[in-house]
Amino acid sequence: MDARSPGSQAALREANRARLLAALRAGTARSQADLARATGLAPATVSNIVRQLEREGTVTTEESAGRRQVRLLPRTGVAASIDYGHRHVTVAIADDSPRILAERRLRLERHIDAREGLQVARRLLDLALEDASVELDDLVSIGMGLPAPIDRRTGRVGSPAILPGWRGVAVVELATEALGRPVAVDNDANLGALAEYRWGHGRHQEIESLVFIKLSEGVGAGLVIDGALFSGRDGTAGEIGHTTIDEHGAMCRCGNRGCLETLVSARAIVEALRPVLGEDREITLAEVAALAEEGDAACTRVLQDAGAQIGRSIASLCNLLNVQIVVIGGEMAQAGDLLLDAIRPVVHRFGIPSAVERLELVTTDLGARAPLLGGIALAFDLVQPR
Amino acid sequence: MDARSPGSQAALREANRARLLAALRAGTARSQADLARATGLAPATVSNIVRQLEREGTVTTEESAGRRQVRLLPRTGVAASIDYGHRHVTVAIADDSPRILAERRLRLERHIDAREGLQVARRLLDLALEDASVELDDLVSIGMGLPAPIDRRTGRVGSPAILPGWRGVAVVELATEALGRPVAVDNDANLGALAEYRWGHGRHQEIESLVFIKLSEGVGAGLVIDGALFSGRDGTAGEIGHTTIDEHGAMCRCGNRGCLETLVSARAIVEALRPVLGEDREITLAEVAALAEEGDAACTRVLQDAGAQIGRSIASLCNLLNVQIVVIGGEMAQAGDLLLDAIRPVVHRFGIPSAVERLELVTTDLGARAPLLGGIALAFDLVQPR
């Protein structure tokens, strides 16, 4: 709690609700009297909150031995998630386990604008809903991930948008209108961090700080600090891809030179391999990783070099934040140990010992789906906050 | 509140106490019944906490019109703060306004060890206590700042210690024994951030994220995130001085090459000026700043160049954390606008627009005293947490 904000009535209600839910999260049914004792809240306060939670379907209550027993329900219903990449869009329908009921993916033209991108997502969503035998109106809500910072103040896509057609778009408004259900939007790396924190490497009780780094066409990070997603004043924290590595390096799409992204993005990797693979060969990061696995020297080298650059940025990040876990996600994570073995020594070389010696450095548990699953978490959080 | 920690009884008591204090912080006296309504806590819980707070001298209560009115008292008593620099130690006695009752400063030999350093502080503390007419036993406690990361897990000074004689020392234990009063210890940049947040640029209600960067012989940062000091898993967050700027650059005392500190520390600045000022001239950062102010071209240039390097690190930090305020402190802050004018364009050149366009970049309000005052805040927090 901010020591200087005495708290509005709304903030207090929110805090009371959160602590009651925390007391319930232990799992067993508890009586209202127990909850009052455990939280220090007045019985009338407990009773009010429980009534509200029951109306929402968050808890169930039952009279037993003259006492009202309260039990937390799993979050009910299904949500949809829409994850935009640079050249694809993926839609999933899932419950809060998270169990995926349907998933659809489509290639996107690089330069379609937000309106067109949302039309594609709407069609894909309809197909996925059909696959899952779920009606649009039955979705609790829709979570959406974009490979761009979302300015929380304006609700708009901040520059530098990787998707040029989305820059400056009031995305929540537009998406809600296009999709016909409430939509919550966040940066895809933030959603990856949220999914890893809930369901992946961060799900253990003792984990309070976690960074998820998405390495794909773009490079971005999502930060969990003190048990909550931290997105900064304007919602744009985590832009690790635009750390300057080489002041005189190649131009970056953000307008600077020598950003980390110019050295380790999918495009940079593929370009570095051109002299070996030939001008015409189209190759994805996943294919580069597979070739390296098979022993291809050039693919191995290029991923190791990328790992070393990423390692430097992770070292700086750890020096600054001293986090517990760094999770590598995105397409490049498919290189697995090859990548981690390149990153790890550099982190220890460039990080100060006390900041990195206990760092857990891992690849994502959730495969390429981390941001997509984060969208499911976001969708449930929007309507059934816990 | 961490959504997954159901909270021990101790944590709940702590949280209840914090929200009651938050409700009281509005300033006017409030009845216990009002407090119960405002916080949602049970009247018995409120009454218990108030009794405890009254015993501690945190609040006063008064019967009026049949209701018990509760009023928050200013934190009483005086605390001491001990701030170690690389070559000096400063001791202050102050109340919680903070009004400084006495201040003493002494030059330190560079290589004295922790035990000797504490003996010097003890003598200085005795002199300051005499100046202020305060008895040692009347100090609420002592806050201490060191220019080194403090490993929260072990309570020891982490490497790289700028003070070699302190490396690995169990500092709280040793200092408590040497000084004869409870001692709380933190990194000096963290204390600078704490002081700026309480009494400086961060004192306004709307400020929730602030970074204090200390530029002196060492370079370090203290982070306030979501209204609280963030020091990472092991207590060593904020080590911005060891960000690698030039992989092939000069050796840093931390064992890496080309850290920010090798380029902008007091020593680096003075070394850069050697060809101009001559081999034998001893000069401090403060003197360099003063000469620059008078129009000295070399001093101006060297501070501008340092500002540009610092600007790059601030840009990376803002890309990552999207904070509201960056406060420049330490000796170099005396260069004021000259330094800010060099930093600002670089931050905007290397930072992504959404992360830096609303950044407030300022020099400290509290002069060279920021970490020293932070020690006073820390000392009060130790015994009268609010």
Side-chain angles (χ1 to χ4, degrees), chain A residues 353, chain B residues 113-114 148-149 156-170 253-255:
Chain B
D113 68 15
R156 291 175 188 275
V157 177
S159 60
I162 293 183
L163 305 160
W166 292 72
R167 189 172 300 180
V169 165
R253 61 187 169 77
C254 76

Side-chain angles (χ1 to χ4, degrees), chain A residues 23-338:
Chain A
L24 279 168
R25 220 170 274 118
T28 53
R30 304 184 67 175
S31 72
Q32 291 200 163
D34 285 345
L35 288 169
R37 257 193 304 280
T39 58
L41 293 171
T45 309
V46 170
S47 159
N48 278 335
I49 300 173
V50 167
R51 202 153 43 231
Q52 174 64 26
L53 291 172
E54 192 170 18
R55 258 200 310 272
E56 296 168 6
T58 303
V59 303
T60 177
T61 67
E62 194 179 7
E63 205 71 45
S64 156
R67 313 187 74 180
R68 186 159 282 281
Q69 303 288 326
V70 186
R71 193 162 52 83
L72 195 60
L73 287 168
R75 295 201 284 197
T76 52
V78 293
S81 175
I82 302 175
D83 181 36
Y84 284 93
H86 304 83
R87 303 207 210 178
H88 69 268
V89 56
T90 311
V91 168
I93 311 289
D95 66 17
D96 189 42
S97 348
R99 188 168 59 95
I100 295 181
L101 307 177
E103 185 174 343
R104 288 267 184 166
R105 188 181 169 93
L106 203 70
R107 204 176 155 80
L108 279 182
E109 291 308 311
R110 191 178 277 271
H111 290 294
I112 64 171
D113 68 15
R115 218 169 269 280
E116 295 163 323
L118 284 166
Q119 281 166 7
V120 173
R122 177 61 200 262
R123 286 196 299 274
L124 216 53
L125 178 62
D126 286 340
L127 294 173
L129 286 167
E130 209 178 297
D131 295 345
S133 305
V134 170
E135 298 292 321
L136 177 68
D137 286 346
D138 291 339
L139 292 176
V140 296
S141 84
I142 299 172
M144 199 166 114
L146 287 174
I150 314 295
D151 188 322
R152 181 183 296 157
R153 185 172 45 109
T154 62
R156 290 175 188 274
V157 177
S159 59
I162 294 183
L163 305 160
W166 293 72
R167 190 172 299 180
V169 165
V171 64
V172 173
E173 235 173 273
L174 202 66
T176 304
E177 189 192 305
L179 300 172
R181 293 291 295 154
V183 179
V185 182
D186 208 336
N187 169 267
D188 58 0
N190 286 352
L191 293 184
L194 187 59
E196 279 294 338
Y197 187 64
R198 290 271 170 85
W199 296 312
H201 289 286
R203 68 185 180 278
H204 306 292
Q205 172 113 19
E206 69 281 8
I207 304 303
E208 292 183 342
S209 57
L210 172 151
V211 173
F212 176 85
I213 302 183
K214 187 180 170 197
L215 299 168
S216 292
E217 186 143 353
V219 173
L223 317 177
V224 170
I225 287 178
D226 284 344
L229 205 57
F230 178 77
S231 359
R233 159 198 249 168
D234 302 312
T236 71
E239 288 291 327
I240 196 177
H242 302 287
T243 306
T244 306
I245 301 287
D246 176 5
E247 187 170 351
H248 308 291
M251 282 303 298
C252 181
R253 62 188 168 76
C254 77
N256 290 333
R257 281 189 181 280
C259 296
L260 177 63
E261 206 173 280
T262 64
L263 297 166
V264 307
S265 67
R267 182 194 292 244
I269 302 282
V270 171
E271 285 305 315
L273 285 169
R274 277 269 169 264
V276 181
L277 299 176
E279 281 304 318
D280 300 330
R281 175 125 176 233
E282 283 280 334
I283 189 167
T284 65
L285 258 188
E287 289 163 339
V288 173
L291 283 170
E293 181 108 321
E294 291 166 17
D296 182 284
C299 290
T300 302
R301 175 58 187 266
V302 103
L303 287 175
Q304 284 172 337
D305 288 354
Q309 298 293 2
I310 295 157
R312 275 185 54 180
S313 292
I314 294 177
S316 289
L317 183 152
C318 290
N319 283 351
L320 199 59
L321 296 177
N322 186 205
V323 294
Q324 292 171 283
I325 304 185
V326 170
V327 183
I328 305 291
E331 283 178 70
M332 208 187 291
Q334 298 182 37
D337 285 343
L338 170 65

Side-chain angles (χ1 to χ4, degrees), chain A residues 1-7 9 11-12 15-16 18-19 22-23 25-26 36-43 45 149 151 153 158-160 197-198 202-209 221 223 225-240 242-247 254-257 309 312 316-325 348-355 357-360 386, chain B residues 1-7 9 11-12 15-16 18-19 22-23 25-26 36-43 45 149 151 153 158-160 197-198 202-209 221 223 225-240 242-247 254-257 309 312 316-325 348-355 357-360 386:
Chain A
M1 187 183 298
D2 180 349
R4 294 163 315 167
S5 121
Q9 275 305 314
L12 273 167
N16 288 339
R19 60 211 315 237
R25 220 170 274 118
R37 257 193 304 280
T39 58
L41 293 171
T45 309
D151 188 322
R153 185 172 45 109
S159 59
Y197 187 64
R198 290 271 170 85
R203 68 185 180 278
H204 306 292
Q205 172 113 19
E206 69 281 8
I207 304 303
E208 292 183 342
S209 57
L223 317 177
I225 287 178
D226 284 344
L229 205 57
F230 178 77
S231 359
R233 159 198 249 168
D234 302 312
T236 71
E239 288 291 327
I240 196 177
H242 302 287
T243 306
T244 306
I245 301 287
D246 176 5
E247 187 170 351
C254 77
N256 290 333
R257 281 189 181 280
Q309 298 293 2
R312 275 185 54 180
S316 289
L317 183 152
C318 290
N319 283 351
L320 199 59
L321 296 177
N322 186 205
V323 294
Q324 292 171 283
I325 304 185
H348 287 270
R349 184 175 162 89
F350 289 97
I352 68 165
S354 54
E357 65 194 357
R358 299 207 299 148
L359 175 70
E360 197 179 321
R386 295 256 160 122
Chain B
M1 187 182 302
D2 179 349
R4 292 163 314 165
S5 123
Q9 275 305 312
L12 273 167
N16 287 340
R19 62 212 314 238
R25 218 169 276 118
R37 256 193 304 282
T39 58
L41 293 172
T45 309
D151 188 321
R153 186 172 43 109
S159 60
Y197 187 64
R198 289 273 170 83
R203 68 184 181 277
H204 306 292
Q205 171 113 21
E206 69 280 9
I207 304 304
E208 293 184 341
S209 57
L223 317 177
I225 287 178
D226 284 342
L229 205 57
F230 178 75
S231 8
R233 159 199 249 168
D234 302 312
T236 71
E239 288 293 326
I240 196 177
H242 302 286
T243 307
T244 306
I245 300 288
D246 177 5
E247 188 171 351
C254 76
N256 290 333
R257 280 188 181 280
Q309 299 293 2
R312 274 186 55 182
S316 289
L317 183 153
C318 289
N319 283 351
L320 200 58
L321 295 177
N322 185 206
V323 294
Q324 291 171 285
I325 305 186
H348 287 271
R349 184 175 162 89
F350 289 98
I352 67 166
S354 54
E357 65 194 356
R358 299 207 299 148
L359 175 71
E360 198 180 320
R386 295 255 162 125

